[in-house]
Amino acid sequence: MTTLLEVRDLEVVFDGFRAIDNLDLTVAEGEVRFLIGPNGAGKTTLIDVVTGLTSPAGGTVTFAGQSLLGLPEHKIVRLGVGRTFQTASVFEQLTVVENLDLAANFRQPLRALLRRRKGVSDAVDAALTTVGLVDQADRLAEVLSHGQKQWLEIGMLLVQDPHLLLLDEPVAGMSKEERTRTGELLHEIARTRTVVVVEHDMEFLRRFANCVTVMHEGSVLCEGTVAEVQADERVQEVYLGRSRDKRSTAEVG
Amino acid sequence: MTALLRSRRTHGRAVFLLIGFVGLVVLPAVMSEFRLGLLAKYLCFAIVAVGIDLAWGYGGMLTLGQGLFFGLGGYAMGMFLKLQEAGPDGLPDFMSYNGLEKVPAFWQPFRHAWFALPAVLLIPMGVAAGLGALVFRQRIRGAYFAILTQALAAAFVILLIGQQGYTAGTNGLTNMKTMFGYDLNDPTNQRNVYLAVAVCLAIVYLVARQLVHSRYGRLLIAVRDGEDRVRFLGYNPTVVKVLAFTVSAGMAGLAGALFVPVVGIMSPAALGIVPSLELLIGVAVGGRATLVGAIGGTVLVNYAKTGLSEHFASGWLYFQGALFILVVAFAPKGLAGIRDVIRRRAPAPDMPMTIEPANVLEAVG
């Protein structure tokens, strides 16, 4: 397996606070990697660094052999890195189709964008079906439910067609059915792409993760399958303090 | 759905042609010379308003200094007319009062129509593009951007007043009586100037409409509502914003240039902070992010201004202030917003109502 994303000796400092401290992470092509860890472990910060939102104090980030550090966000996207945010951030004053259409056309030159959209492209149409928003296609995104907005955002990632997808808590705040549906969506997406998911939800993790990286205080604590990670004593400590009660460990994961 | 859209589009086209007919044929026939001149002036402001709507209503760039671009266009035209009047070797009147012996070098190119007329658009657009590229790349936005544009308009006025020999100072460029040899005081020629303004407004409207309805227009709204999110769609918001700001400056420049033959004067009094804000009020009253609202609101506010000033000279300012507060507090989407609420309430009770909270901060900055 070839390496797609490689993070080495990463350090991020906010006002003297080390959000990420000497972190190494390697994600191979085609992998679905889950990132977990207690609050403040630096999971979202790591995604921010990879996508160009935060600049690190030191270290390297390479994607398909190219350094991402110092590139503006939109150029990183153009290289094939897509992301979602913890809170669904779709454009509420645009319709569902318009949201998808913008996400699909970022490679067009500016003068092509000056034309009106004629109909709906195949990619957008397919994404509408995949995320189950065909009936909502011409409605403003602001009327969608929270779950639907998250799906729209996943749909936008689909038509954007990135090589590497970074999902920040895709099922936070969702109902049980919505979670299941999202999980199926992710499964679908992951078939042809490399995906990194930040997620707290343990049930979700057990169902869909094969490789998990546990972060703690800005660095990687351990890495392995769900079962391996669950069995790791350090992980139990981080999540539960000093208590080693078997039952609650199983519950938390 | 498509049938509905199509019928709405033909409906829109019919309304556009009807308004065009009234504006170009009926009004010039029935209005007095004085009233038509006033309307021509308001339509100039409406051209600026379309630009403001593009930048602010659609793009979220609260530009408080359109007077700068209006002035750049206006002075370019004014310099052209003054030099034409002075003749090939003559000196514009105010220069000889100020002791200048020859026309300054930067005035010279404005002798030629081929330079001065494109300059009316290109100078404001060039300034806006340069300014926008610097400012938007640094991610300066919101209130900071608004203050910056306002300060620039103020600085421009100070510069004009300070350089009396080159700009005619506080008085501005006056006594412009002819254009291409035609007498601007002649009623027929004034009527033609009005027609030119009306046609320019129609063109500006169509250009803005095309921009707004294109993918670019959707992108502009997306930048307004979530600039950082747009970056993660792979677009560079700086380019999107610079383009809208530049087009809006070009519209203001065009309006300034048309304003000169309509009124016969171009002076700093038409460009400073207060006139720049007045231009904005029309857009706010008519409804941000609707082009018709911006045009209608501007014409309406200006008629109210003239009407009220004719009856109570000092009352207008209070009325204007009250109007702005009322709009911001109770109808953040302006008259067009009120129309939408009524339209939505009537035929389709099953449609979800989406009334925006009166977000004062958003409306102002």
Side-chain angles (χ1 to χ4, degrees):
Chain A
M1 281 206 289
T2 48
T3 303
L4 187 64
L5 178 71
E6 190 167 32
V7 178
R8 287 279 160 270
D9 307 323
L10 192 68
E11 280 188 51
V12 177
V13 183
F14 295 128
D15 288 332
F17 167 71
R18 287 191 175 278
I20 289 187
D21 193 7
N22 210 7
L23 178 135
D24 291 321
L25 180 77
T26 308
V27 180
E29 179 106 45
E31 202 180 330
V32 178
R33 175 71 63 92
F34 273 69
L35 283 181
I36 64 167
N39 282 333
K43 305 176 299 280
T44 300
T45 308
L46 174 60
I47 289 189
D48 286 350
V49 171
V50 173
T51 54
L53 198 60
T54 303
S55 35
T60 58
V61 177
T62 42
F63 170 73
Q66 183 175 0
S67 171
L68 296 183
L69 295 185
L71 289 179
E73 296 94 323
H74 66 275
K75 293 224 168 113
I76 294 178
V77 172
R78 279 159 186 265
L79 289 175
V81 180
R83 77 170 288 180
T84 61
F85 292 83
Q86 279 181 19
T87 47
S89 46
V90 297
F91 299 107
E92 308 215 324
Q93 297 303 312
L94 302 179
T95 66
V96 170
V97 164
E98 285 169 347
N99 267 287
L100 290 168
D101 185 69
L102 278 187
N105 281 290
F106 69 97
R107 290 187 193 282
Q108 301 257 4
L110 187 62
R111 77 193 127 71
L113 295 175
L114 293 176
R115 279 186 234 119
R116 275 180 198 235
R117 174 173 62 85
K118 297 254 190 306
V120 177
S121 71
D122 292 344
V124 169
D125 212 37
L128 273 177
T129 317
T130 311
V131 298
L133 290 174
V134 176
D135 293 340
Q136 322 288 332
D138 289 314
R139 304 182 75 181
L140 288 183
E142 67 177 357
V143 304
L144 299 182
S145 72
H146 172 70
Q148 287 174 323
K149 283 181 190 167
Q150 292 279 20
W151 294 335
L152 173 56
E153 197 161 12
I154 292 174
M156 287 161 77
L157 270 184
L158 273 175
V159 292
Q160 189 178 317
D161 198 22
H163 222 70
L164 170 69
L165 261 139
L166 306 161
L167 306 174
D168 200 354
E169 301 196 18
V171 298
M174 280 190 174
S175 70
K176 205 165 159 50
E177 299 90 85
E178 285 174 332
R179 279 162 197 246
T180 314
R181 176 91 188 85
T182 308
E184 286 161 4
L185 269 177
L186 288 186
H187 223 66
E188 172 106 18
I189 290 166
R191 276 198 306 203
T192 52
R193 294 175 183 85
T194 311
V195 184
V196 175
V197 191
V198 169
E199 193 46 74
H200 283 298
D201 188 75
M202 286 305 154
E203 198 197 320
F204 189 78
L205 190 77
R206 274 191 218 107
R207 281 186 61 175
F208 297 102
N210 39 34
C211 185
V212 180
T213 299
V214 185
M215 287 178 66
H216 180 55
E217 289 176 353
S219 27
V220 172
L221 193 65
C222 75
E223 223 166 71
T225 64
V226 178
E228 281 167 10
V229 165
Q230 274 180 324
D232 193 296
E233 282 194 5
R234 288 169 305 166
V235 176
Q236 294 168 13
E237 248 174 54
V238 164
Y239 269 96
L240 297 172
R242 295 282 160 195
S243 148
R244 303 244 172 105
D245 177 45
K246 284 281 177 207
R247 244 178 350 164
S248 49
T249 327
E251 244 170 47
V252 176
Chain B
M1 194 65 194
T2 21
L4 183 77
L5 278 177
R6 198 168 301 147
S7 80
R8 197 177 261 183
R9 191 172 281 184
T10 35
H11 176 71
R13 211 165 277 172
V15 171
F16 182 75
L17 290 176
L18 181 71
I19 292 176
F21 176 74
V22 170
L24 294 176
V25 180
V26 179
L27 291 183
V30 300
M31 282 174 103
S32 74
E33 196 190 325
F34 172 68
R35 292 286 161 193
L36 197 66
L38 278 184
L39 182 58
K41 199 167 107 178
Y42 302 161
L43 295 188
C44 286
F45 294 145
I47 292 175
V48 187
V50 172
I52 292 179
D53 201 19
L54 212 54
W56 180 40
Y58 289 92
M61 294 166 270
L62 179 56
T63 159
L64 297 179
Q66 287 307 84
L68 168 64
F69 306 119
F70 186 79
L72 286 172
Y75 270 86
M77 179 62 100
M79 286 157 81
F80 170 61
L81 294 186
K82 289 304 275 183
L83 286 171
Q84 270 210 324
E85 249 168 32
D89 303 313
L91 203 59
D93 48 11
F94 73 90
M95 285 187 184
S96 40
Y97 308 152
N98 284 291
L100 261 68
E101 277 161 15
K102 60 183 182 58
V103 176
F106 80 94
W107 271 67
Q108 290 292 357
F110 291 92
R111 264 187 204 292
H112 314 289
W114 60 261
F115 180 88
L117 297 186
V120 153
L121 286 175
L122 295 181
I123 292 178
M125 289 174 87
V127 170
L131 182 71
L134 285 174
V135 168
F136 299 136
R137 194 196 304 261
Q138 296 302 317
R139 307 193 181 180
I140 292 169
R141 54 193 173 206
Y144 301 100
F145 174 75
I147 291 166
L148 186 80
T149 53
Q150 187 168 51
L152 277 173
F156 183 53
V157 167
I158 292 169
L159 180 76
L160 287 173
I161 293 175
Q163 301 298 317
Q164 195 162 350
Y166 300 109
T167 63
T170 318
N171 295 334
L173 305 176
T174 54
N175 283 327
M176 288 173 274
K177 295 194 192 79
T178 62
M179 186 173 186
F180 301 117
Y182 293 103
D183 181 5
L184 284 173
N185 288 324
D186 180 74
T188 323
N189 290 339
Q190 263 307 313
R191 194 144 293 171
N192 289 338
V193 169
Y194 163 81
L195 291 177
V197 174
V199 168
C200 282
L201 175 60
I203 292 170
V204 160
Y205 168 76
L206 291 175
V207 168
R209 203 181 128 83
Q210 172 60 29
L211 279 180
V212 165
H213 287 283
S214 69
R215 279 206 175 98
Y216 169 80
R218 305 293 98 185
L219 188 56
L220 188 59
I221 292 176
V223 168
R224 175 192 73 191
D225 294 344
E227 183 170 338
D228 292 320
R229 182 68 183 88
V230 167
R231 294 178 207 280
F232 292 103
L233 288 185
Y235 298 98
N236 184 0
T238 306
V239 175
V240 178
K241 291 172 88 172
V242 166
L243 180 62
F245 189 50
T246 304
V247 171
S248 115
M251 289 175 177
L254 173 68
L258 291 166
F259 187 80
V260 172
V262 169
V263 181
I265 293 178
M266 178 46 71
S267 78
L271 317 178
I273 290 176
V274 174
S276 296
L277 282 175
E278 282 183 341
L279 291 166
L280 202 81
I281 290 176
V283 179
V285 168
R288 281 176 296 151
T290 60
L291 296 172
V292 177
I295 295 172
T298 302
V299 173
L300 213 67
V301 167
N302 276 292
Y303 265 114
K305 179 181 178 177
T306 311
L308 281 168
S309 313
E310 276 170 9
H311 294 104
F312 352 79
S314 60
W316 165 247
L317 270 181
Y318 295 102
F319 180 77
Q320 190 179 37
L323 188 68
F324 197 51
I325 291 169
L326 282 175
V327 167
V328 167
F330 297 109
K333 286 183 169 176
L335 295 175
I338 294 171
R339 179 201 65 187
D340 284 351
V341 169
I342 293 168
R343 191 186 273 174
R344 219 176 285 176
R345 203 171 263 168
D350 58 336
M351 284 279 277
M353 291 282 291
T354 48
I355 297 173
E356 288 272 299
N359 192 333
V360 175
L361 261 183
E362 185 202 52
V364 183

